[in-house]
Amino acid sequence: MPTPSMEDYIEQIHNLMESKGYARVSDIAEALLVHPSSVTKMVQKLDKDGYLNYEKYRGFILTSKGEKLGERLVYRHELLENFLEVIGVDSDKIYEDVEGIEHHLSWNSIDRIGDLVQYFKADAKRIEDLRSIVESSAE
């Protein structure tokens, strides 16, 4: 099982590969607010654990195992953002909240949250009803 830190790196590498076609140590360090040496150490660990293939001075790519996990991690992140949006969390709090909770939920919980988001998004009236409840409880 990857640690939360490993998940953050895999998710970031996946996002960079999707958006730029490559992921550099400096890009990862900047995105995760860590030193490049920390990225290099983690990349070596992810290579050892089979999540990516790393060649010193040449770069790295995600393995199929890393790619599959990266896709799942991005799904989890986006799903939690959607969930918090649906339940009416202030948009300026959503990213920080997702970062705080995403590693603490089981995949079973993530799947049930996915079901709930689908339920609400299937009928806009459901979201309106939920927002009415939220607004009336805030008064």
Side-chain angles (χ1 to χ4, degrees):
M1 279 301 281
T3 65
S5 181
M6 291 168 73
E7 287 183 347
D8 285 339
Y9 278 84
I10 293 168
E11 182 180 1
Q12 190 59 49
I13 291 167
H14 180 274
N15 284 337
L16 286 166
M17 303 276 298
E18 287 289 308
S19 65
K20 295 175 115 178
Y22 60 90
R24 297 180 311 183
V25 167
S26 59
D27 295 329
I28 299 165
E30 183 180 327
L32 296 176
L33 304 174
V34 298
H35 292 286
S37 60
S38 298
V39 175
T40 300
K41 287 178 188 171
M42 181 59 79
V43 164
Q44 291 168 343
K45 175 155 182 42
L46 293 171
D47 176 63
K48 182 180 170 227
D49 291 352
Y51 293 103
L52 55 81
N53 290 321
Y54 170 69
E55 288 186 44
K56 194 172 185 179
Y57 306 117
R58 301 196 90 205
F60 49 88
I61 59 167
L62 290 171
T63 62
S64 59
K65 175 182 174 180
E67 183 65 31
K68 183 178 177 184
L69 180 58
E71 289 173 2
R72 186 87 166 130
L73 295 172
V74 168
Y75 165 78
R76 175 180 72 187
H77 190 100
E78 291 172 353
L79 173 67
L80 290 172
E81 284 182 348
N82 285 328
F83 174 66
L84 295 179
E85 181 183 327
V86 164
I87 63 172
V89 172
D90 294 339
S91 61
D92 63 328
K93 304 280 189 247
I94 290 176
Y95 182 82
E96 186 177 322
D97 286 352
V98 169
E99 288 298 312
I101 65 173
E102 67 183 338
H103 301 293
H104 302 285
L105 295 171
S106 69
W107 287 107
N108 182 256
S109 293
I110 295 296
D111 291 340
R112 298 302 65 80
I113 289 170
D115 295 341
L116 190 60
V117 169
Q118 283 181 332
Y119 169 80
F120 278 105
K121 288 195 169 192
D123 182 350
K125 176 95 171 81
R126 294 172 183 163
I127 293 175
E128 290 173 25
D129 291 346
L130 178 62
R131 298 263 166 88
S132 296
I133 292 168
V134 170
E135 288 171 9
S136 66
S137 69
E139 295 174 354

Short mmCIF file of all heavy atoms in Angstrom, two decimals, residues 1-61:
data_model
loop_
_atom_site.label_atom_id
_atom_site.label_comp_id
_atom_site.label_asym_id
_atom_site.label_seq_id
_atom_site.Cartn_x
_atom_site.Cartn_y
_atom_site.Cartn_z
N MET A 1 0.84 -1.19 0.00
CA MET A 1 0.00 0.00 0.00
C MET A 1 0.88 1.25 0.00
O MET A 1 1.76 1.38 0.84
CB MET A 1 -0.88 0.04 1.24
CG MET A 1 -2.14 -0.79 1.21
SD MET A 1 -3.28 -0.39 -0.10
CE MET A 1 -4.06 1.06 0.54
N PRO A 2 0.60 2.17 -0.90
CA PRO A 2 1.37 3.42 -0.90
C PRO A 2 0.96 4.31 0.27
O PRO A 2 -0.19 4.30 0.72
CB PRO A 2 0.99 4.06 -2.23
CG PRO A 2 -0.32 3.46 -2.61
CD PRO A 2 -0.33 2.09 -2.02
N THR A 3 1.91 5.06 0.76
CA THR A 3 1.64 6.02 1.84
C THR A 3 0.93 7.24 1.26
O THR A 3 0.95 7.45 0.04
CB THR A 3 2.96 6.48 2.49
OG1 THR A 3 3.71 7.21 1.51
CG2 THR A 3 3.78 5.30 3.02
N PRO A 4 0.32 8.08 2.11
CA PRO A 4 -0.28 9.32 1.60
C PRO A 4 0.72 10.17 0.82
O PRO A 4 0.37 10.75 -0.21
CB PRO A 4 -0.76 10.02 2.88
CG PRO A 4 -1.08 8.89 3.81
CD PRO A 4 -0.01 7.87 3.54
N SER A 5 1.95 10.23 1.27
CA SER A 5 2.96 11.01 0.56
C SER A 5 3.22 10.42 -0.83
O SER A 5 3.31 11.15 -1.82
CB SER A 5 4.25 11.05 1.38
OG SER A 5 5.23 11.81 0.71
N MET A 6 3.34 9.10 -0.90
CA MET A 6 3.53 8.44 -2.18
C MET A 6 2.35 8.72 -3.11
O MET A 6 2.53 8.99 -4.30
CB MET A 6 3.71 6.93 -1.99
CG MET A 6 5.01 6.55 -1.30
SD MET A 6 5.05 4.82 -0.76
CE MET A 6 5.23 3.97 -2.32
N GLU A 7 1.15 8.69 -2.56
CA GLU A 7 -0.04 8.98 -3.36
C GLU A 7 0.01 10.40 -3.91
O GLU A 7 -0.34 10.62 -5.07
CB GLU A 7 -1.31 8.79 -2.52
CG GLU A 7 -1.64 7.35 -2.24
CD GLU A 7 -2.94 7.17 -1.48
OE1 GLU A 7 -3.48 8.18 -0.94
OE2 GLU A 7 -3.42 6.03 -1.40
N ASP A 8 0.44 11.36 -3.09
CA ASP A 8 0.53 12.74 -3.57
C ASP A 8 1.49 12.84 -4.75
O ASP A 8 1.21 13.53 -5.73
CB ASP A 8 1.00 13.67 -2.45
CG ASP A 8 -0.09 13.97 -1.42
OD1 ASP A 8 -1.28 13.79 -1.73
OD2 ASP A 8 0.27 14.40 -0.30
N TYR A 9 2.62 12.17 -4.66
CA TYR A 9 3.59 12.20 -5.75
C TYR A 9 3.03 11.53 -7.00
O TYR A 9 3.15 12.08 -8.10
CB TYR A 9 4.90 11.52 -5.33
CG TYR A 9 5.82 12.40 -4.54
CD1 TYR A 9 5.66 12.55 -3.16
CD2 TYR A 9 6.85 13.09 -5.16
CE1 TYR A 9 6.51 13.35 -2.43
CE2 TYR A 9 7.71 13.90 -4.43
CZ TYR A 9 7.54 14.03 -3.07
OH TYR A 9 8.38 14.84 -2.35
N ILE A 10 2.43 10.37 -6.84
CA ILE A 10 1.88 9.66 -8.00
C ILE A 10 0.79 10.49 -8.66
O ILE A 10 0.74 10.61 -9.89
CB ILE A 10 1.35 8.26 -7.60
CG1 ILE A 10 2.53 7.36 -7.18
CG2 ILE A 10 0.56 7.62 -8.74
CD1 ILE A 10 2.12 6.07 -6.50
N GLU A 11 -0.08 11.09 -7.86
CA GLU A 11 -1.15 11.93 -8.39
C GLU A 11 -0.56 13.11 -9.16
O GLU A 11 -1.01 13.44 -10.27
CB GLU A 11 -2.05 12.42 -7.26
CG GLU A 11 -3.22 13.27 -7.71
CD GLU A 11 -4.10 13.74 -6.56
OE1 GLU A 11 -3.81 13.44 -5.38
OE2 GLU A 11 -5.09 14.43 -6.85
N GLN A 12 0.45 13.75 -8.59
CA GLN A 12 1.05 14.90 -9.24
C GLN A 12 1.78 14.50 -10.52
O GLN A 12 1.66 15.19 -11.55
CB GLN A 12 2.03 15.60 -8.28
CG GLN A 12 2.51 16.93 -8.79
CD GLN A 12 1.36 17.90 -9.04
OE1 GLN A 12 0.49 18.10 -8.20
NE2 GLN A 12 1.31 18.50 -10.20
N ILE A 13 2.50 13.40 -10.49
CA ILE A 13 3.18 12.91 -11.69
C ILE A 13 2.16 12.61 -12.78
O ILE A 13 2.33 12.99 -13.94
CB ILE A 13 4.05 11.67 -11.37
CG1 ILE A 13 5.24 12.08 -10.49
CG2 ILE A 13 4.53 11.00 -12.65
CD1 ILE A 13 5.98 10.91 -9.85
N HIS A 14 1.09 11.95 -12.40
CA HIS A 14 0.03 11.62 -13.37
C HIS A 14 -0.53 12.89 -13.99
O HIS A 14 -0.70 12.99 -15.21
CB HIS A 14 -1.07 10.81 -12.69
CG HIS A 14 -2.18 10.44 -13.61
ND1 HIS A 14 -3.25 11.27 -13.85
CD2 HIS A 14 -2.38 9.35 -14.38
CE1 HIS A 14 -4.07 10.70 -14.71
NE2 HIS A 14 -3.56 9.53 -15.05
N ASN A 15 -0.83 13.89 -13.15
CA ASN A 15 -1.39 15.15 -13.66
C ASN A 15 -0.42 15.85 -14.61
O ASN A 15 -0.84 16.37 -15.65
CB ASN A 15 -1.75 16.09 -12.50
CG ASN A 15 -3.02 15.68 -11.79
OD1 ASN A 15 -3.86 14.98 -12.35
ND2 ASN A 15 -3.15 16.09 -10.55
N LEU A 16 0.85 15.87 -14.25
CA LEU A 16 1.84 16.50 -15.12
C LEU A 16 1.98 15.76 -16.44
O LEU A 16 2.07 16.38 -17.51
CB LEU A 16 3.20 16.58 -14.41
CG LEU A 16 3.30 17.64 -13.31
CD1 LEU A 16 4.54 17.40 -12.45
CD2 LEU A 16 3.32 19.03 -13.91
N MET A 17 1.99 14.44 -16.39
CA MET A 17 2.10 13.65 -17.61
C MET A 17 0.89 13.90 -18.52
O MET A 17 1.03 13.99 -19.73
CB MET A 17 2.22 12.15 -17.29
CG MET A 17 3.37 11.79 -16.38
SD MET A 17 4.98 11.54 -17.11
CE MET A 17 4.79 10.21 -18.19
N GLU A 18 -0.27 14.03 -17.91
CA GLU A 18 -1.49 14.29 -18.69
C GLU A 18 -1.47 15.68 -19.32
O GLU A 18 -1.87 15.85 -20.46
CB GLU A 18 -2.73 14.15 -17.80
CG GLU A 18 -3.08 12.72 -17.45
CD GLU A 18 -3.61 11.94 -18.62
OE1 GLU A 18 -4.55 12.40 -19.30
OE2 GLU A 18 -3.09 10.84 -18.86
N SER A 19 -1.03 16.67 -18.56
CA SER A 19 -1.09 18.05 -19.06
C SER A 19 0.11 18.43 -19.92
O SER A 19 -0.05 19.18 -20.88
CB SER A 19 -1.23 19.03 -17.89
OG SER A 19 -0.08 19.01 -17.07
N LYS A 20 1.29 17.93 -19.60
CA LYS A 20 2.49 18.34 -20.32
C LYS A 20 3.12 17.24 -21.17
O LYS A 20 3.96 17.51 -22.01
CB LYS A 20 3.56 18.81 -19.32
CG LYS A 20 3.21 20.05 -18.55
CD LYS A 20 4.27 20.34 -17.51
CE LYS A 20 4.96 21.64 -17.84
NZ LYS A 20 5.98 21.99 -16.86
N GLY A 21 2.75 16.00 -20.87
CA GLY A 21 3.37 14.88 -21.58
C GLY A 21 4.62 14.37 -20.88
O GLY A 21 5.20 13.37 -21.29
N TYR A 22 5.04 15.03 -19.83
CA TYR A 22 6.22 14.63 -19.06
C TYR A 22 6.12 15.22 -17.66
O TYR A 22 5.31 16.13 -17.41
CB TYR A 22 7.52 15.12 -19.73
CG TYR A 22 7.60 16.62 -19.87
CD1 TYR A 22 8.16 17.41 -18.87
CD2 TYR A 22 7.09 17.26 -21.00
CE1 TYR A 22 8.21 18.79 -18.99
CE2 TYR A 22 7.15 18.64 -21.13
CZ TYR A 22 7.71 19.40 -20.11
OH TYR A 22 7.77 20.77 -20.23
N ALA A 23 6.93 14.71 -16.77
CA ALA A 23 7.00 15.23 -15.41
C ALA A 23 8.47 15.35 -15.03
O ALA A 23 9.19 14.36 -15.08
CB ALA A 23 6.27 14.30 -14.44
N ARG A 24 8.88 16.55 -14.69
CA ARG A 24 10.27 16.78 -14.27
C ARG A 24 10.31 16.93 -12.75
O ARG A 24 9.33 17.34 -12.13
CB ARG A 24 10.83 18.05 -14.90
CG ARG A 24 10.92 17.99 -16.40
CD ARG A 24 11.48 19.26 -16.96
NE ARG A 24 10.79 20.42 -16.38
CZ ARG A 24 11.04 21.68 -16.71
NH1 ARG A 24 11.96 21.96 -17.60
NH2 ARG A 24 10.37 22.66 -16.16
N VAL A 25 11.47 16.61 -12.19
CA VAL A 25 11.66 16.75 -10.76
C VAL A 25 11.33 18.17 -10.31
O VAL A 25 10.63 18.37 -9.31
CB VAL A 25 13.12 16.36 -10.36
CG1 VAL A 25 13.43 16.79 -8.94
CG2 VAL A 25 13.32 14.86 -10.53
N SER A 26 11.78 19.16 -11.06
CA SER A 26 11.53 20.56 -10.67
C SER A 26 10.04 20.89 -10.68
O SER A 26 9.56 21.63 -9.81
CB SER A 26 12.30 21.51 -11.58
OG SER A 26 11.92 21.33 -12.93
N ASP A 27 9.29 20.34 -11.65
CA ASP A 27 7.84 20.59 -11.71
C ASP A 27 7.13 19.98 -10.51
O ASP A 27 6.22 20.58 -9.93
CB ASP A 27 7.25 20.00 -12.99
CG ASP A 27 7.76 20.67 -14.25
OD1 ASP A 27 8.07 21.88 -14.19
OD2 ASP A 27 7.86 19.98 -15.28
N ILE A 28 7.54 18.77 -10.16
CA ILE A 28 6.93 18.08 -9.02
C ILE A 28 7.25 18.82 -7.73
O ILE A 28 6.38 19.04 -6.88
CB ILE A 28 7.40 16.62 -8.95
CG1 ILE A 28 6.98 15.87 -10.21
CG2 ILE A 28 6.85 15.93 -7.70
CD1 ILE A 28 7.68 14.56 -10.42
N ALA A 29 8.52 19.22 -7.57
CA ALA A 29 8.93 19.95 -6.37
C ALA A 29 8.13 21.23 -6.22
O ALA A 29 7.66 21.56 -5.12
CB ALA A 29 10.43 20.25 -6.44
N GLU A 30 7.96 21.95 -7.32
CA GLU A 30 7.21 23.21 -7.28
C GLU A 30 5.74 22.96 -6.92
O GLU A 30 5.17 23.66 -6.09
CB GLU A 30 7.30 23.89 -8.65
CG GLU A 30 6.62 25.23 -8.70
CD GLU A 30 6.74 25.89 -10.07
OE1 GLU A 30 7.76 25.70 -10.74
OE2 GLU A 30 5.79 26.60 -10.46
N ALA A 31 5.15 21.95 -7.52
CA ALA A 31 3.73 21.67 -7.28
C ALA A 31 3.47 21.20 -5.85
O ALA A 31 2.44 21.54 -5.26
CB ALA A 31 3.23 20.63 -8.27
N LEU A 32 4.39 20.42 -5.30
CA LEU A 32 4.18 19.86 -3.96
C LEU A 32 4.88 20.68 -2.86
O LEU A 32 4.81 20.32 -1.69
CB LEU A 32 4.68 18.41 -3.91
CG LEU A 32 3.93 17.43 -4.80
CD1 LEU A 32 4.57 16.05 -4.74
CD2 LEU A 32 2.46 17.36 -4.42
N LEU A 33 5.54 21.76 -3.27
CA LEU A 33 6.24 22.63 -2.33
C LEU A 33 7.26 21.88 -1.49
O LEU A 33 7.30 21.98 -0.25
CB LEU A 33 5.23 23.37 -1.43
CG LEU A 33 4.16 24.18 -2.15
CD1 LEU A 33 3.14 24.74 -1.16
CD2 LEU A 33 4.78 25.31 -2.97
N VAL A 34 8.10 21.09 -2.18
CA VAL A 34 9.17 20.34 -1.54
C VAL A 34 10.47 20.60 -2.29
O VAL A 34 10.47 21.15 -3.40
CB VAL A 34 8.88 18.82 -1.49
CG1 VAL A 34 7.63 18.53 -0.67
CG2 VAL A 34 8.73 18.25 -2.89
N HIS A 35 11.57 20.19 -1.71
CA HIS A 35 12.87 20.35 -2.35
C HIS A 35 13.06 19.29 -3.44
O HIS A 35 12.58 18.15 -3.28
CB HIS A 35 14.00 20.21 -1.32
CG HIS A 35 14.04 21.33 -0.34
ND1 HIS A 35 14.50 22.59 -0.67
CD2 HIS A 35 13.68 21.39 0.96
CE1 HIS A 35 14.41 23.37 0.38
NE2 HIS A 35 13.90 22.68 1.38
N PRO A 36 13.76 19.64 -4.51
CA PRO A 36 14.03 18.66 -5.57
C PRO A 36 14.69 17.37 -5.05
O PRO A 36 14.40 16.28 -5.55
CB PRO A 36 14.96 19.41 -6.52
CG PRO A 36 14.58 20.85 -6.34
CD PRO A 36 14.26 20.98 -4.87
N SER A 37 15.54 17.49 -4.03
CA SER A 37 16.18 16.28 -3.49
C SER A 37 15.15 15.34 -2.87
O SER A 37 15.29 14.11 -2.96
CB SER A 37 17.25 16.65 -2.45
OG SER A 37 16.67 17.37 -1.38
N SER A 38 14.10 15.90 -2.29
CA SER A 38 13.02 15.07 -1.74
C SER A 38 12.28 14.35 -2.85
O SER A 38 11.89 13.18 -2.71
CB SER A 38 12.03 15.91 -0.94
OG SER A 38 12.65 16.52 0.15
N VAL A 39 12.07 15.04 -3.96
CA VAL A 39 11.41 14.43 -5.11
C VAL A 39 12.25 13.27 -5.63
O VAL A 39 11.73 12.18 -5.90
CB VAL A 39 11.14 15.46 -6.23
CG1 VAL A 39 10.56 14.77 -7.46
CG2 VAL A 39 10.22 16.56 -5.75
N THR A 40 13.55 13.49 -5.77
CA THR A 40 14.43 12.44 -6.28
C THR A 40 14.38 11.20 -5.39
O THR A 40 14.27 10.08 -5.89
CB THR A 40 15.88 12.96 -6.40
OG1 THR A 40 15.89 14.06 -7.30
CG2 THR A 40 16.82 11.88 -6.90
N LYS A 41 14.40 11.40 -4.08
CA LYS A 41 14.31 10.26 -3.14
C LYS A 41 13.00 9.51 -3.32
O LYS A 41 12.96 8.29 -3.33
CB LYS A 41 14.47 10.73 -1.70
CG LYS A 41 15.87 11.12 -1.34
CD LYS A 41 15.93 11.62 0.09
CE LYS A 41 17.30 12.21 0.39
NZ LYS A 41 17.35 12.88 1.68
N MET A 42 11.90 10.27 -3.44
CA MET A 42 10.60 9.62 -3.58
C MET A 42 10.51 8.91 -4.93
O MET A 42 9.95 7.80 -5.01
CB MET A 42 9.47 10.62 -3.43
CG MET A 42 8.08 10.00 -3.56
SD MET A 42 7.72 8.70 -2.35
CE MET A 42 7.33 9.69 -0.92
N VAL A 43 11.02 9.51 -5.97
CA VAL A 43 10.99 8.88 -7.29
C VAL A 43 11.75 7.55 -7.24
O VAL A 43 11.30 6.54 -7.80
CB VAL A 43 11.56 9.83 -8.37
CG1 VAL A 43 11.90 9.09 -9.65
CG2 VAL A 43 10.56 10.96 -8.65
N GLN A 44 12.86 7.52 -6.55
CA GLN A 44 13.62 6.28 -6.41
C GLN A 44 12.82 5.24 -5.65
O GLN A 44 12.82 4.05 -6.01
CB GLN A 44 14.96 6.56 -5.72
CG GLN A 44 15.91 7.35 -6.58
CD GLN A 44 17.12 7.89 -5.84
OE1 GLN A 44 17.14 7.97 -4.60
NE2 GLN A 44 18.14 8.29 -6.59
N LYS A 45 12.10 5.66 -4.61
CA LYS A 45 11.26 4.73 -3.85
C LYS A 45 10.11 4.21 -4.71
O LYS A 45 9.80 3.02 -4.71
CB LYS A 45 10.71 5.40 -2.59
CG LYS A 45 9.74 4.51 -1.82
CD LYS A 45 9.66 4.85 -0.39
CE LYS A 45 8.74 3.95 0.42
NZ LYS A 45 8.83 2.53 0.14
N LEU A 46 9.48 5.11 -5.47
CA LEU A 46 8.37 4.70 -6.34
C LEU A 46 8.86 3.75 -7.42
O LEU A 46 8.14 2.83 -7.82
CB LEU A 46 7.69 5.94 -6.94
CG LEU A 46 6.95 6.84 -5.95
CD1 LEU A 46 6.51 8.12 -6.63
CD2 LEU A 46 5.77 6.11 -5.33
N ASP A 47 10.08 3.94 -7.88
CA ASP A 47 10.69 3.02 -8.84
C ASP A 47 10.88 1.65 -8.19
O ASP A 47 10.49 0.63 -8.76
CB ASP A 47 12.03 3.58 -9.32
CG ASP A 47 12.76 2.63 -10.25
OD1 ASP A 47 12.23 2.34 -11.35
OD2 ASP A 47 13.87 2.18 -9.89
N LYS A 48 11.43 1.64 -7.00
CA LYS A 48 11.66 0.39 -6.27
C LYS A 48 10.36 -0.37 -6.02
O LYS A 48 10.31 -1.60 -6.08
CB LYS A 48 12.35 0.71 -4.94
CG LYS A 48 12.68 -0.49 -4.10
CD LYS A 48 13.37 -0.05 -2.80
CE LYS A 48 13.47 -1.24 -1.88
NZ LYS A 48 13.05 -0.96 -0.53
N ASP A 49 9.29 0.38 -5.75
CA ASP A 49 7.99 -0.25 -5.45
C ASP A 49 7.17 -0.55 -6.71
O ASP A 49 6.02 -0.99 -6.61
CB ASP A 49 7.19 0.64 -4.50
CG ASP A 49 7.79 0.68 -3.09
OD1 ASP A 49 8.73 -0.09 -2.82
OD2 ASP A 49 7.31 1.49 -2.28
N GLY A 50 7.71 -0.25 -7.88
CA GLY A 50 7.04 -0.63 -9.13
C GLY A 50 6.01 0.34 -9.67
O GLY A 50 5.24 0.00 -10.56
N TYR A 51 5.98 1.56 -9.15
CA TYR A 51 5.01 2.55 -9.62
C TYR A 51 5.51 3.36 -10.81
O TYR A 51 4.73 3.94 -11.54
CB TYR A 51 4.59 3.49 -8.50
CG TYR A 51 3.81 2.80 -7.41
CD1 TYR A 51 4.40 2.46 -6.19
CD2 TYR A 51 2.48 2.44 -7.61
CE1 TYR A 51 3.68 1.81 -5.21
CE2 TYR A 51 1.76 1.78 -6.63
CZ TYR A 51 2.37 1.47 -5.43
OH TYR A 51 1.66 0.82 -4.46
N LEU A 52 6.83 3.42 -10.95
CA LEU A 52 7.40 4.11 -12.11
C LEU A 52 8.76 3.51 -12.45
O LEU A 52 9.33 2.77 -11.65
CB LEU A 52 7.50 5.62 -11.89
CG LEU A 52 8.24 6.19 -10.69
CD1 LEU A 52 9.75 6.21 -10.92
CD2 LEU A 52 7.76 7.61 -10.44
N ASN A 53 9.21 3.80 -13.64
CA ASN A 53 10.54 3.40 -14.08
C ASN A 53 11.39 4.65 -14.11
O ASN A 53 11.04 5.63 -14.77
CB ASN A 53 10.50 2.77 -15.48
CG ASN A 53 9.82 1.42 -15.47
OD1 ASN A 53 9.99 0.64 -14.54
ND2 ASN A 53 9.03 1.15 -16.49
N TYR A 54 12.50 4.59 -13.39
CA TYR A 54 13.38 5.75 -13.24
C TYR A 54 14.79 5.40 -13.71
O TYR A 54 15.33 4.36 -13.33
CB TYR A 54 13.41 6.18 -11.78
CG TYR A 54 14.46 7.21 -11.44
CD1 TYR A 54 14.35 8.51 -11.90
CD2 TYR A 54 15.55 6.88 -10.63
CE1 TYR A 54 15.31 9.47 -11.57
CE2 TYR A 54 16.50 7.83 -10.30
CZ TYR A 54 16.38 9.12 -10.77
OH TYR A 54 17.32 10.05 -10.45
N GLU A 55 15.33 6.25 -14.55
CA GLU A 55 16.73 6.13 -14.95
C GLU A 55 17.41 7.44 -14.60
O GLU A 55 16.99 8.51 -15.07
CB GLU A 55 16.85 5.88 -16.45
CG GLU A 55 16.43 4.48 -16.87
CD GLU A 55 16.70 4.25 -18.34
OE1 GLU A 55 17.79 4.63 -18.83
OE2 GLU A 55 15.82 3.68 -18.99
N LYS A 56 18.44 7.36 -13.79
CA LYS A 56 19.17 8.54 -13.34
C LYS A 56 19.58 9.39 -14.54
O LYS A 56 20.10 8.88 -15.53
CB LYS A 56 20.39 8.12 -12.54
CG LYS A 56 21.02 9.22 -11.74
CD LYS A 56 22.10 8.65 -10.83
CE LYS A 56 22.65 9.76 -9.96
NZ LYS A 56 23.68 9.25 -9.05
N TYR A 57 19.31 10.67 -14.44
CA TYR A 57 19.62 11.68 -15.46
C TYR A 57 18.80 11.55 -16.75
O TYR A 57 19.00 12.31 -17.67
CB TYR A 57 21.13 11.69 -15.83
CG TYR A 57 22.02 11.84 -14.63
CD1 TYR A 57 22.90 10.83 -14.27
CD2 TYR A 57 21.96 12.99 -13.83
CE1 TYR A 57 23.72 10.97 -13.16
CE2 TYR A 57 22.78 13.13 -12.73
CZ TYR A 57 23.66 12.11 -12.39
OH TYR A 57 24.46 12.26 -11.29
N ARG A 58 17.89 10.61 -16.81
CA ARG A 58 17.11 10.44 -18.03
C ARG A 58 15.62 10.68 -17.80
O ARG A 58 14.88 10.89 -18.74
CB ARG A 58 17.32 9.04 -18.61
CG ARG A 58 18.79 8.78 -18.93
CD ARG A 58 18.96 7.63 -19.82
NE ARG A 58 18.92 8.16 -21.19
CZ ARG A 58 18.56 7.44 -22.24
NH1 ARG A 58 18.22 6.20 -22.10
NH2 ARG A 58 18.57 7.97 -23.43
N GLY A 59 15.18 10.61 -16.59
CA GLY A 59 13.77 10.85 -16.31
C GLY A 59 13.05 9.59 -15.87
O GLY A 59 13.68 8.58 -15.51
N PHE A 60 11.75 9.63 -15.94
CA PHE A 60 10.94 8.50 -15.47
C PHE A 60 9.58 8.52 -16.14
O PHE A 60 9.15 9.55 -16.67
CB PHE A 60 10.78 8.56 -13.95
CG PHE A 60 10.35 9.90 -13.43
CD1 PHE A 60 9.01 10.22 -13.34
CD2 PHE A 60 11.28 10.84 -13.05
CE1 PHE A 60 8.61 11.47 -12.88
CE2 PHE A 60 10.89 12.09 -12.57
CZ PHE A 60 9.56 12.39 -12.49
N ILE A 61 8.93 7.38 -16.11
CA ILE A 61 7.56 7.24 -16.59
C ILE A 61 6.81 6.34 -15.62
O ILE A 61 7.42 5.49 -14.95
CB ILE A 61 7.49 6.64 -18.02
CG1 ILE A 61 8.16 5.27 -18.06
CG2 ILE A 61 8.09 7.58 -19.04
CD1 ILE A 61 7.89 4.48 -19.32
#
